[in-house]
Amino acid sequence: MKKNFHVGILDYSIYLPEETITAEQLSDLVGIKPDVLREKMGINRKHVGGPEDHPGMMATKATKELLSKTKIDPKEIDMILYAGETYCEYVCWTVAIKIQNEIGADNAFAWDLSFRCAGTPLALKVAKDMMYANENLNTVLIAGGNSNAYLIDYKDPIQSFMFDMSPGGFALILKRDHLENELLETGIITDHVFCDDVIGKYGGTLYPITEEIAKDSEKLRRAKLIEVTDGEGMKKRLAERSLPDFTNTVRLALKNSNLTSRDIDFIGMTHINPKAHYAIMNDLGIEKDKTVYLADDGHCGHVDQLLALDYGIKQGKVKDGSICALLGAGTGYAFACSMVRWGKTK
């Protein structure tokens, strides 16, 4: 890219439901001891959604707060990119256009991007690349929401790796020539051997919910939830492949940004178990204190990277000039990491 081309994050907002559930309360639902939930799975507590906590609604709440905070006129926005979950309020629906309507961004065009819980870093790259290619894109809103927590079957022990899921929404604004919180480059990996491991099997074109399913309460309950098709096989493959997938994604982002792992001052990543979280940092040679682990929030999907960054800023771990790695991962499996130089650019 041209040396004089810069895109920075003007500001961001995060929406999380106020109600939470503790490890002790979750233990009663999933049949796992509280100390295991806390120590091995990294869940002290997580958020619980209410009747108005759906992906588009949560993304809109975060967006409205952000506009109020930044005093940005919605009519200044040139593009709205929804980087959230497609499991949302309606089927065959474009969430970004709903957000556009809710805020009155009459001069923008709006569209959705799907990449599971790796969607936020990917959206940052796509938006920056589009701004580079189109000089008319000066102000871009990226917003997202995730309520996959509502899809998890607490009765299925094979799904325990998803018991941390928690609803949430976010919004951020990118500005051309904004020399603060500069967006650098991104690394992306998709590991296709996991493509069919975690699916919402029923309700699509291949397996519609039939009258037979609808008449059986247990079949209907299960049909509305996530299915893990090969739990043991996936577990084995993850043990072999997930660490290099995570770390190689970060290394790609560093290479593309002309940086090395020694340059990383902070890493904010998708909520995974503590052992895996710190194994990634150890492999990259990042000191343990250069992160915030989201034990009190759970896995809020597309929100995680910004949430960790927000804690990092508030705790003084992220300062002007800090190189921050924002690392996401989602089923499929998808991995994406965007590098950001936080604060004012010298």
Side-chain angles (χ1 to χ4, degrees), residues 81 113-115 118-127 186 188 336-338:
L81 174 50
L113 175 151
S114 172
F115 205 48
T120 300
L122 176 63
L124 291 170
K125 172 179 173 52
V126 170
T186 301
I188 305 164
C337 178
S338 284

Side-chain angles (χ1 to χ4, degrees), residues 55 58 82 84-85 116-117 144-149 165-169 300-302:
M58 292 188 290
Y82 173 76
E85 193 48 75
R116 304 288 73 78
C117 297
N146 188 301
S147 60
N148 284 2
M165 293 214 70
S166 182
C300 305
H302 302 69

Side-chain angles (χ1 to χ4, degrees), residues 195-217:
C195 65
D196 292 324
D197 284 334
V198 182
I199 58 174
K201 181 175 180 178
Y202 292 96
T205 58
L206 186 58
Y207 295 101
I209 295 179
T210 63
E211 186 175 344
E212 177 190 351
I213 292 172
K215 287 181 178 179
D216 187 311
S217 60

